[in-house]
Amino acid sequence: MAESKSLLSASNLTKSYGGVRALDTVSLELSTGETVGLLGANGAGKSTLIKILCGLVTPDSGSIIFEGRQVGPLSPKVSEQLGISVIHQERHALENLTVAENIYLGREPKIGPFLDNRSLNADTQVVLDRLRLDVSPSTPVQDLSNAQRQMVEIARALSFNAKLVIMDEPTSSLSETEAERLLTIVDELRSQGVTVLYVSHRIDEILRIATRTVSLTDGKNSGNLAGGEMTRENIIQSIIGRTEAARRSESRVAGEARLVVSNVRTTKYPDSPVSFEVRRGEVLGITGLVGSGRSEVARVIFGIDRPVGGEVTIDGEPLSLGDTLNTIKKGVFLVPEDRRNLGVILDFSIERNITLPSVKDAGGPIVSEAGSRSMAATQIKNLSIKCATMDQPVSSLSGGNQQKVALGKWLAKDARCLVLDEPTCGVDIGARGEIYDQIDALAKQGLAVLMISSDTDEVLTQCDRVLVFSRGGVAGELSRDHLSKDAIMRLAI
Amino acid sequence: MLNRYRKELLLLAVLVVVCIFLTIRNPQFLSPTNLQNITRQIGMYGILSIGVAVVVVTGGIDLSVGSMCALLGVLMAMGLVEKKMPPAVVIPGILAIGGALGWLHGILVSRLKLQPFIVTLCGLLLYRGAARFVASDESKGFGDSVGFEPLKQLATGSVAGMSTAFVLFLIVTVLVGVLLHKSVLGRHLYAVGKNSEAARYAGVNVLRVETIAYVIAGVCTGVAAILFAFYTNSIAPSSHGSYYELYGVAAVVLGGFSLRGGEGTVIGVVLGVILLQVLQNLVNLLGVPSSLNFAVMGFVILIGALLEKAFQKKAA
């Protein structure tokens, strides 16, 4: 076998967002025709690395050599011309167009001003044959299964003569048989000399198809494995960070159960009943990989989604599931993950946002301007929201202060249980500490706090007990004494 | 403060300029008769437009108000004149029918998730057809029949030198102003218009709030329909109220509301309505061919939208 040729060599890539270093002097070497698994926990820097390679993000420093030549700043266009294609997690196929129209979107063959349908379909057939895909070029994409759509995306990448195909969690929304079919396609690509960078949490898949693995932890390279070293155990070791964050020194005292979730089955994972309880005065953490069904459970508790089955009670009273107004009346509140679209109304002032859930509590039909302003002032002070006036729109605040507003609107009401979904995502370190202090204070007041987080450090430091979710179910529970990154990662994967 | 009412101040400035220009070109503009007449028009169209404004705040639209004026007008005339029903029954009845139709629009939009444009476009067609059908396509009205003078006064009379319709408009303006800008429901209306999902996550009863907006529009249309009917005195079911929905939407848009919802003030609609009627008056007083009536309106709204964009860029 000939010496494999270097296709891409990226070195010392560094990228910071605000004060947060997402990538720290990361290097990546890829040779022609190999399949490399890229691994890392949530927030380890995989997405940032991919975005740099496909030209969506410009690194602060570092260099990229592609096929022996130094490449300047990448843009999506340049990256595509070089032969780098990304199959994204969420597919971008246009449903109303056919397979062929999707693959050649924007570069359709023409005869004069008219679409040349014949060569469009013929060209597409060639690409589909390369992948041994049994789909007609003229099938509308909306008639295809998830897996087939994904393969259309791969076909599109091939039609650009892609030399490097990056797949970002390609099997996360596929069934097992569909996933298997996709893995066969990846093998097919390799046999045709296409390099594949395969990003996945699923170690089994990596072991099945990758020739090598590259791991990232906290934005840094944390080990490359090849050949015999590529074992499940070694891979897990390589993605667990070595540093353990400092624990919260004092422990809280948990009382009786307040929020009890029994056999809740969400529409996304109807076969995985979830049961747990959150006690008075405790912060229960829920962690797990993105897509493991954590937010779905939160939405059921808050009454946004109706579950397939199951029951939730607060202090013994059942919540009427699917009825957010009733849930709020019972004192169970949610700070959603999507802060900008669901947590706050960006164009509304701080005052209006904070008082939105409670203006009607005063009873009368007319808003007491003074009452409303003093309520907002209390929360602004309580949460140290940094603003010039309470009348400025929330959109003008930093992410951390927006999150404080999203939290503050519930603190103005009587809470029994607070569900926080990724409460510090995109929040700077200062505001993060203030939010943690607030959560601690709430727990001490006797609230039951449920904190969903992908940030292992946050879960380790802030929670009294942690549930690890995996594929829709509770994979395990870790008490404070048994909490470690290692234990969490083992359950999550 | 200045920035907050930027749109309204801009509109006021345009209105003042147009009025001064009009007075210079034809002093008749300020004559008592003309003012009486123009304020009456402002009153009737204003009540209609304010209802539309409440719906637009939620991100919806109401295209049915013109046809509804025809249907309610015909029903009222037939009830009073042909069936000889007492006004104390007919007038509240008309308002109730207006509210009920609005409620129906609201349910279709909020619970059944139909698009407001489609729902109220169907209303526009349906009510026009219904009006013509119940009236057997004949004009209905009060003619010289006696006994309705007090009611006619609502549309044609005056109170303390101001036309009654204008006084009614002021009352409706104050009520809706308090509703939009001072009440809990008002805050919820704007929240739903800005981001209905986030409003839902904050515990706003989005379905109820949306429905109420259409009910308010329906009741306002009912009030306007009564005034228009007595004003014209004869209601031709095939043409009465034609294009009124466009007057409503035009006034609201001119008044600084965004059709995406969540924006606009009562002062804005009032200024919008006044400007539209002054422009109508301008066409008459300056001897502009009346065929250009709508064209002038369209032109001014376009200029207004362009000015607004220009100011927005400057402010940003």
Side-chain angles (χ1 to χ4, degrees):
Chain A
M1 207 168 120
E3 179 84 357
S4 59
K5 222 172 72 200
S6 167
L7 178 71
L8 176 135
S9 165
S11 46
N12 295 318
L13 294 177
T14 298
K15 175 74 191 172
S16 300
Y17 293 104
V20 184
R21 202 161 252 213
L23 272 193
D24 192 353
T25 58
V26 163
S27 300
L28 177 70
E29 301 282 339
L30 298 173
S31 305
T32 304
E34 65 173 349
T35 302
V36 176
L38 177 63
L39 292 136
N42 303 325
K46 294 172 311 214
S47 305
T48 310
L49 181 56
I50 297 170
K51 282 184 188 152
I52 288 175
L53 294 180
C54 67
L56 285 171
V57 165
T58 314
D60 300 335
S61 60
S63 71
I64 298 172
I65 295 170
F66 195 81
E67 294 191 303
R69 266 183 310 169
Q70 179 84 34
V71 292
L74 288 173
S75 69
K77 187 137 201 186
V78 170
S79 171
E80 197 173 82
Q81 280 163 356
L82 285 174
I84 302 176
S85 272
V86 183
I87 315 296
H88 286 283
Q89 231 162 328
E90 63 279 11
R91 287 165 299 282
H92 299 294
L94 302 173
E95 301 210 336
N96 51 342
L97 301 185
T98 67
V99 169
E101 285 165 346
N102 259 293
I103 290 177
Y104 283 96
L105 188 65
R107 358 161 240 154
E108 296 84 353
K110 283 177 197 152
I111 305 173
F114 300 105
L115 196 60
D116 181 1
N117 258 320
R118 190 181 298 192
S119 39
L120 175 69
N121 286 337
D123 292 352
T124 304
Q125 193 60 53
V126 172
V127 184
L128 294 176
D129 286 345
R130 265 183 81 185
L131 289 171
R132 300 183 197 189
L133 268 182
D134 189 19
V135 176
S136 157
S138 54
T139 313
V141 165
Q142 58 200 2
D143 295 346
L144 300 182
S145 72
N146 273 342
Q148 287 173 319
R149 289 181 197 199
Q150 195 124 30
M151 289 170 200
V152 169
E153 289 290 299
I154 297 173
R156 179 171 159 84
L158 278 187
S159 74
F160 279 102
N161 286 317
K163 291 166 185 146
L164 169 59
V165 174
I166 303 171
M167 299 192 184
D168 189 4
E169 298 280 354
T171 55
S172 59
S173 58
L174 302 186
S175 72
E176 223 148 295
T177 42
E178 287 177 331
E180 185 50 42
R181 178 92 185 88
L182 184 92
L183 296 183
T184 324
I185 299 267
V186 175
D187 284 336
E188 189 66 40
L189 287 174
R190 176 173 43 202
S191 70
Q192 294 182 19
V194 178
T195 307
V196 177
L197 183 64
Y198 192 90
V199 185
S200 180
H201 288 305
R202 300 190 177 171
I203 292 182
D204 298 333
E205 288 173 7
I206 301 275
L207 288 173
R208 151 100 164 65
I209 56 158
T211 42
R212 272 189 320 120
T213 66
V214 172
S215 300
L216 296 180
T217 306
D218 300 333
K220 295 192 179 106
N221 282 99
S222 59
N224 297 342
L225 300 168
E229 311 162 327
M230 255 175 64
T231 62
R232 203 181 165 78
E233 187 59 28
N234 285 346
I235 289 177
I236 292 178
Q237 278 302 333
S238 73
I239 56 178
I240 295 170
R242 274 153 201 82
T243 50
E244 295 271 313
R247 303 286 180 81
R248 196 168 264 282
S249 53
E250 43 168 345
S251 64
R252 288 175 283 252
V253 188
E256 75 277 21
R258 289 202 89 167
L259 184 82
V260 180
V261 174
S262 334
N263 293 313
V264 162
R265 294 180 296 134
T266 60
T267 41
K268 186 172 175 195
Y269 294 104
D271 301 325
S272 307
V274 171
S275 300
F276 60 87
E277 54 183 48
V278 193
R279 299 184 201 124
R280 173 183 290 276
E282 92 171 328
V283 179
L284 174 68
I286 290 188
T287 188
L289 302 169
V290 171
S292 57
R294 305 165 307 174
S295 301
E296 283 77 9
V297 171
R299 285 212 304 273
V300 164
I301 294 173
F302 192 54
I304 296 290
D305 293 345
R306 224 177 272 277
V308 179
E311 196 188 42
V312 182
T313 60
I314 178 79
D315 295 336
E317 305 164 39
L319 293 179
S320 99
L321 295 175
D323 180 357
T324 307
L325 296 174
N326 174 277
T327 309
I328 291 172
K329 236 176 242 152
K330 294 233 160 78
V332 178
F333 305 143
L334 171 72
V335 177
E337 179 180 8
D338 187 353
R339 170 170 64 232
R340 297 173 60 82
N341 289 313
L342 302 175
V344 294
I345 298 179
L346 283 175
D347 289 347
F348 259 28
S349 70
I350 300 169
E351 180 236 348
R352 290 235 164 167
N353 266 290
I354 288 180
T355 57
L356 187 57
S358 34
V359 270
K360 61 177 180 286
D361 296 351
I366 302 299
V367 178
S368 149
E369 205 68 33
S372 170
R373 295 190 76 82
S374 85
M375 182 189 288
T378 309
Q379 291 311 326
I380 288 171
K381 187 155 167 283
N382 179 23
L383 290 157
S384 5
I385 296 170
K386 284 163 198 73
C387 57
T389 82
M390 65 173 76
D391 299 313
Q392 75 191 73
V394 169
S395 57
S396 65
L397 299 177
S398 70
N401 284 303
Q402 288 181 4
Q403 186 69 335
K404 290 180 192 172
V405 172
L407 180 61
K409 71 174 190 232
W410 295 126
L411 303 187
K413 284 174 84 83
D414 261 344
R416 294 207 264 186
C417 172
L418 199 55
V419 182
L420 308 161
D421 196 354
E422 300 287 359
T424 61
C425 179
V427 169
D428 62 279
I429 295 181
R432 203 175 269 233
E434 285 160 353
I435 290 173
Y436 291 154
D437 289 345
Q438 198 57 232
I439 292 172
D440 186 48
L442 292 169
K444 283 182 179 143
Q445 283 166 29
L447 260 74
V449 181
L450 182 61
M451 185 203 264
I452 298 171
S453 176
S454 296
D455 181 338
T456 325
D457 284 335
E458 173 169 288
V459 170
L460 287 175
T461 54
Q462 305 303 321
C463 299
D464 300 305
R465 204 156 54 90
V466 174
L467 300 178
V468 183
F469 269 51
S470 177
R471 299 188 191 191
V474 180
E477 179 183 330
L478 297 167
S479 69
R480 203 174 146 79
D481 303 332
H482 295 96
L483 265 180
S484 67
K485 280 195 182 180
D486 189 274
I488 290 175
M489 193 54 76
R490 271 163 211 283
L491 286 170
I493 283 175
Chain B
M1 212 57 177
L2 271 180
N3 198 35
R4 197 165 151 198
Y5 294 108
R6 189 168 40 86
K7 284 180 182 173
E8 286 78 3
L9 286 171
L10 183 68
L11 192 54
L12 184 63
V14 172
L15 182 61
V16 168
V17 169
V18 171
C19 287
I20 291 175
F21 169 77
L22 195 47
T23 313
I24 294 171
R25 294 295 300 273
N26 189 343
Q28 274 299 309
F29 176 64
L30 290 181
S31 72
T33 329
N34 189 52
L35 284 181
Q36 270 282 341
N37 186 35
I38 192 172
T39 50
R40 181 169 300 119
Q41 302 284 342
I42 289 169
M44 293 187 295
Y45 286 104
I47 294 170
L48 197 74
S49 305
I50 273 197
V52 176
V54 176
V55 168
V56 170
V57 164
T58 67
I61 197 159
D62 197 337
L63 299 177
S64 71
V65 295
S67 296
M68 215 197 276
C69 274
L71 177 61
L72 296 179
V74 164
L75 289 177
M76 181 174 74
M78 289 171 72
L80 288 174
V81 178
E82 294 175 13
K83 307 270 181 237
K84 310 256 185 264
M85 288 158 78
V89 173
V90 173
I91 301 297
I94 291 298
L95 297 181
I97 296 173
L101 292 175
W103 177 79
L104 193 66
H105 298 160
I107 292 294
L108 290 170
V109 168
S110 65
R111 298 217 179 247
L112 300 177
K113 309 278 172 235
L114 297 184
Q115 290 180 11
F117 191 100
I118 297 172
V119 169
T120 58
L121 177 68
C122 293
L124 179 150
L125 300 168
L126 269 167
Y127 307 145
R128 179 65 62 192
R132 294 177 62 172
F133 180 75
V134 294
S136 316
D137 228 352
E138 288 164 9
S139 287
K140 298 286 171 188
F142 310 97
D144 301 322
S145 45
V146 286
F148 306 122
E149 286 76 13
L151 284 172
K152 273 190 190 163
Q153 284 296 312
L154 283 178
T156 57
S158 57
V159 177
M162 282 191 288
S163 61
T164 322
F166 189 73
V167 174
L168 281 174
F169 171 52
L170 290 182
I171 295 171
V172 172
T173 301
V174 170
L175 287 177
V176 174
V178 168
L179 175 90
L180 281 182
H181 303 304
K182 300 283 171 202
S183 79
V184 174
L185 180 61
R187 289 205 172 192
H188 287 180
L189 283 165
Y190 282 92
V192 168
K194 269 286 174 220
N195 182 341
S196 66
E197 266 303 283
R200 180 174 169 226
Y201 271 76
V204 173
N205 193 339
V206 176
L207 302 185
R208 199 179 67 123
V209 167
E210 263 182 347
T211 310
I212 291 176
Y214 285 91
V215 172
I216 291 171
V219 174
C220 285
T221 307
V223 175
I226 294 168
L227 298 181
F228 279 121
F230 282 113
Y231 178 71
T232 55
N233 202 34
S234 165
I235 300 131
S238 59
S239 62
H240 183 88
S242 286
Y243 299 114
Y244 285 10
E245 61 283 344
L246 297 185
Y247 279 97
V249 175
V252 167
V253 171
L254 200 53
F257 285 66
S258 160
L259 289 181
R260 272 182 228 103
E263 263 168 55
T265 63
V266 160
I267 303 293
V269 208
V270 171
L271 291 171
V273 170
I274 295 177
L275 183 56
L276 277 187
Q277 291 308 322
V278 168
L279 288 173
Q280 299 272 304
N281 203 224
L282 174 143
V283 170
N284 293 333
L285 290 179
L286 297 190
V288 177
S290 64
S291 49
L292 281 175
N293 199 337
F294 278 167
V296 170
M297 242 167 78
F299 182 69
V300 169
I301 295 174
L302 190 61
I303 297 291
L306 286 171
L307 274 178
E308 166 60 22
K309 259 288 177 271
F311 272 78
Q312 220 169 31
K313 274 205 192 118
K314 228 176 173 181

